[in-house]
Amino acid sequence: MYSILIIAVLVVVYCGIGWTIVSRLDAMKKLSNEERLTLSFFVGGFAVYFGVFFVAPMRLDVTTMSGLAFVCVLLALPGLKKIPWREIYLSNIRILKLDWFSNLLWITLFIVAVTTLLQGLAPPNDYDSLMYHLANPLYGVELGRFEIPNDKRGVQALFPAMTSNLTRFLLVFADGETVQMAHGLYGLAAAVGAGFLVRRFGYSIHTALVAVLFFLVIRAVIWQMASAETDVPLAGFLIGSFIVYLTLREVPTPGLGILFGLMIGGMIPTKYIGFALALPFGILI
């Protein structure tokens, strides 16, 4: 229950921080409220990333991370007040009222999403997490400061730190199961983003809901959403990049350009392959 509470707070804080930024960058409101909220989750993650980046090399413990958490909550409050919760709620209710097939899809999606997220409560058991995705951040938590392990673990200790810093932050307060659920949140956001991307391509709401379902039932996604792996968060930033890119092509504003840069910038510190994924966007632009 403690892990679920932390994850719920994390979602709210991320969205609150991100909404303040995304709403300013999308001043012309070319993104839907639902798209804004999804992108806000990814943008909000930069607060923890940079917070741990600057603080952890000096001290990584309950005191410093509690201070970081307090600052993040304060930063989230203005955005949380501005999020049009009622409009987003009514928009989803309208989808539910379309027909019985929409109801069936929503119920199926809800069950799949919840069960996939809750599987993160199982003890960590995948090789990569035990070897470095959890082990390296835990080393710093036990040491009391961020430091690269001086052993023979290889280049894993030099991996990008977008989700690793989130892992460090969460391990101060909780355990590996909470970290796994936090990575699962990125999977849910990526799935929702996939649905919005399908809508951007001109397909129906039914097709978009099926796309979300298809994303969530991919075997690799199910497995990685219950681990501390980084591929699903990377996919989320990539999908977010596509959403903003398609909007940017229609309305090339500086704000959307910056938001596009944030999505691209999120891919690279999540996993090195983000460089390769960012390159084609340069050609398209």
Side-chain angles (χ1 to χ4, degrees):
M1 187 63 187
Y2 178 63
S3 297
I4 296 175
L5 177 62
I6 290 179
I7 293 305
V9 173
L10 185 70
V11 172
V12 173
V13 171
Y14 269 24
C15 290
I17 294 174
W19 186 271
T20 301
I21 299 171
V22 173
S23 61
R24 287 180 179 273
L25 295 178
D26 181 34
M28 296 178 65
K29 296 184 178 181
K30 294 302 178 180
L31 296 165
S32 68
N33 287 328
E34 291 79 7
E35 288 173 330
R36 282 180 162 197
L37 192 60
T38 304
L39 294 173
S40 294
F41 174 81
F42 291 106
V43 173
F46 281 98
V48 170
Y49 168 67
F50 282 113
V52 175
F53 179 86
F54 287 111
V55 175
M58 297 177 286
R59 186 172 171 182
L60 179 60
D61 55 19
V62 174
T63 302
T64 55
M65 293 301 102
S66 295
L68 174 59
F70 180 72
V71 171
C72 287
V73 170
L74 291 181
L75 291 174
L77 292 178
L80 291 174
K81 292 179 180 179
K82 294 179 180 179
I83 296 176
W85 298 108
R86 179 175 173 79
E87 291 180 23
I88 294 173
Y89 170 75
L90 293 177
S91 175
N92 285 278
I93 291 298
R94 282 193 293 270
I95 295 175
L96 283 172
K97 291 181 178 180
L98 287 178
D99 50 42
W100 67 270
F101 188 54
S102 298
N103 292 332
L104 178 62
L105 285 174
W106 264 115
I107 294 171
T108 305
L109 279 174
F110 178 78
I111 294 173
V112 172
V114 171
T115 54
T116 305
L117 185 62
L118 290 179
Q119 69 175 334
L121 291 172
N125 59 9
D126 69 289
Y127 178 86
D128 289 356
S129 293
L130 295 175
M131 285 299 294
Y132 45 86
H133 286 310
L134 285 174
N136 285 344
L138 184 59
Y139 173 83
V141 173
E142 293 175 345
L143 190 64
R145 67 181 184 278
F146 169 68
E147 186 174 293
I148 297 176
N150 185 22
D151 57 18
K152 297 182 179 180
R153 285 184 234 192
V155 298
Q156 290 89 351
L158 302 176
F159 276 2
M162 174 63 80
T163 55
S164 296
N165 280 356
L166 174 60
T167 300
R168 292 182 177 94
F169 176 77
L170 292 174
L171 285 177
V172 169
F173 303 104
D175 49 23
E177 287 83 350
T178 308
V179 172
Q180 292 179 154
M181 289 190 69
H183 284 69
L185 290 177
Y186 277 93
L188 292 183
V192 173
F196 294 142
L197 190 58
V198 168
R199 288 288 287 160
R200 284 275 169 182
F201 289 145
Y203 291 96
S204 67
I205 291 177
H206 288 164
T207 305
L209 292 175
V210 171
V212 175
L213 181 61
F214 279 6
F215 184 96
L216 288 174
V217 298
I218 296 173
R219 183 177 180 181
V221 172
I222 295 172
W223 164 56
Q224 291 219 2
M225 282 180 62
S227 72
E229 300 276 355
T230 58
D231 299 273
V232 169
L234 175 66
F237 278 107
L238 177 60
I239 291 170
S241 299
F242 269 112
I243 293 172
V244 181
Y245 169 73
L246 293 174
T247 310
L248 184 63
R249 289 191 61 176
E250 297 175 1
V251 187
T253 64
L256 288 176
I258 294 172
L259 183 56
F260 176 63
L262 286 174
M263 291 294 103
I264 293 292
M267 289 196 300
I268 295 171
T270 299
K271 196 165 186 174
Y272 283 130
I273 198 175
F275 281 107
L277 297 175
L279 183 60
F281 284 109
I283 299 174
L284 291 173
I285 292 176

